[in-house]
Amino acid sequence: MRIAIAGCGQLARMLALAGWEMGHHFSFIADLGEGTDCVAGLGEVVVWDEEIPFAMLFEALGSPDVVTVEKEHVNVNLIEGLAEYCRVAPSPGAIRVCQHRGREKTLLQSLGIDTAPFQVVEDAPSLIAAVESVGYPAFVKSCELGYDGQNQWLLRDTAALDALADQMDALPPLVVEGAVHFDRELSLIAARSLSGEIALYPLAENRHREGILLTSEVPADNVQAATISQATEIAHTLLEHWSYVGVLSIEMFDEGGKLRVNELAPRVHNSGHWSQNAGVTSQFTNHIRAITDTRPGATAPGQFAGMVNLLGRAPADELLEAADVSLHWYNKSIRSRRKVGHLNIQSADRQQLQKRLVELESALYPDGEPL
Ligand code: AMP
């Protein structure tokens, strides 16, 4: 099939690399000025701006059978326009909801899925009232255009609240969230095919640094059966609500075994990268299978698996010589905090996997060094 991907980042790269193996052909839609190094050599790149008619864009993309997305900030008008010509998966409706934290949390609440207590605010008085109602510390996040901890404020006292309230006229709508006192952060990668077959990967335990994902461990350790059932129900509820097609990623807080959803990503996700080397069908392959109406492949790894992100740095050669390490490099230039690649590891023994994750992390990020 011919598949067009909106976006040209590392997720587009890894989707195309997985799809090429299955004989699919790719093209990519770049916004004006968007970097395209990650997808160099993997298919035609078409630069789109709002002036270009969709018929012309569709043709320039090679008349794809299906269009999918790889990034948060995809223009929904673009994919709605292309939906007149071919299948778009996941649907523009699901993407629109997930682009806006307020809409996303409101939907979750309406489906009976727990989140942090939250309120959407648009002016200083409603910001102040919302923070007073959720208490300190309060997490304040822009509804749109925020990721990896960007466009977020952690308010610890009234002085911080007053300072933010003073800027409110210049700020977009915000979500105010009460702090969740979680034990750890988990994520679930789920896939649903066009015909409705669902496959879920095991829960990943994720650790962040400075708001950016640093490591994932799979399956998460010490997860109660009730927590797995809750995660499974959350995934099924969302996938079926949207008649979702593709991979959906669900980031959650684990608070004593009870889950609250923090964020949804309607695409493949960094916390699913471990699946590339764990002897399962990778999240990238399963996304391509789902959108081309093929039943999802196996998602249960026979061993323990982990991932360490390469944030603003390349690994030393010695790290890559280890037999348990697989490098995935995105062909990007290195900049501070930028995701430029990741390392996947596996082990038959959980403690060994955890030891190796610590070793890799401390070799890459010596103690205390900021990203
Ligand atoms: P986000 O951009 O929503 O993924 O938030 C970035 C990180 O901030 C999360 O991974 C959490 O570690 C932390 N965080 C976000 N929201 C909350 C909350 N309501 N309570 C506690 N921690 C939070």
Side-chain angles (χ1 to χ4, degrees), residues 182-217:
F182 57 82
D183 304 307
R184 56 180 170 174
E185 296 185 65
L186 302 176
S187 63
L188 179 65
I189 309 293
R192 183 178 178 279
S193 71
L194 194 60
S195 313
E197 292 116 343
I198 290 176
L200 309 182
Y201 290 89
L203 286 166
E205 178 166 346
N206 303 314
R207 289 184 40 257
H208 298 80
R209 185 152 159 198
E210 298 172 33
I212 309 179
L213 180 67
L214 189 58
T215 65
S216 299
E217 177 185 329

Side-chain angles (χ1 to χ4, degrees), residues 108-159:
L108 289 163
Q109 201 174 46
S110 76
L111 294 172
I113 297 171
D114 287 337
T115 62
F118 74 95
Q119 288 179 37
V120 177
V121 299
E122 302 204 3
D123 54 29
S126 61
L127 169 70
I128 293 167
V131 173
E132 279 168 0
S133 121
V134 301
Y136 293 100
F139 285 78
V140 181
K141 308 174 182 177
S142 69
C143 284
E144 291 177 285
L145 304 181
Y147 64 99
D148 287 345
Q150 310 219 329
N151 287 332
Q152 290 194 15
W153 299 262
L154 176 55
L155 305 184
R156 296 191 182 278
D157 51 32
T158 47

Side-chain angles (χ1 to χ4, degrees), residues 72-91:
E72 167 108 29
H73 305 142
V74 66
N75 184 326
V76 179
N77 294 336
L78 161 69
I79 50 173
E80 275 175 349
L82 287 171
E84 302 285 316
Y85 296 85
C86 66
R87 181 161 72 242
V88 171
S91 68

Side-chain angles (χ1 to χ4, degrees), residues 150-279:
Q150 310 219 329
N151 287 332
Q152 290 194 15
W153 299 262
L154 176 55
L155 305 184
R156 296 191 182 278
D157 51 32
T158 47
L161 171 59
D162 291 343
L164 186 62
D166 284 345
Q167 298 175 48
M168 197 60 201
D169 286 346
L171 292 173
L174 304 173
V175 162
V176 175
E177 290 178 26
V180 176
H181 302 287
F182 57 82
D183 304 307
R184 56 180 170 174
E185 296 185 65
L186 302 176
S187 63
L188 179 65
I189 309 293
R192 183 178 178 279
S193 71
L194 194 60
S195 313
E197 292 116 343
I198 290 176
L200 309 182
Y201 290 89
L203 286 166
E205 178 166 346
N206 303 314
R207 289 184 40 257
H208 298 80
R209 185 152 159 198
E210 298 172 33
I212 309 179
L213 180 67
L214 189 58
T215 65
S216 299
E217 177 185 329
V218 180
D221 204 359
N222 284 322
V223 185
Q224 301 159 23
T227 310
I228 295 178
S229 309
Q230 190 192 352
T232 305
E233 197 180 321
I234 291 170
H236 278 255
T237 302
L238 288 165
L239 293 171
E240 276 150 22
H241 168 75
W242 279 311
S243 297
Y244 191 91
V245 178
V247 163
L248 173 72
S249 308
I250 308 170
E251 292 185 85
M252 294 167 288
F253 298 133
D254 175 3
E255 214 183 359
K258 291 207 63 189
L259 300 174
R260 290 177 195 258
V261 172
N262 180 39
E263 213 176 0
L264 304 174
R267 58 186 168 275
V268 287
H269 191 258
N270 197 168
S271 68
H273 289 359
W274 60 271
S275 61
Q276 292 168 304
N277 299 95

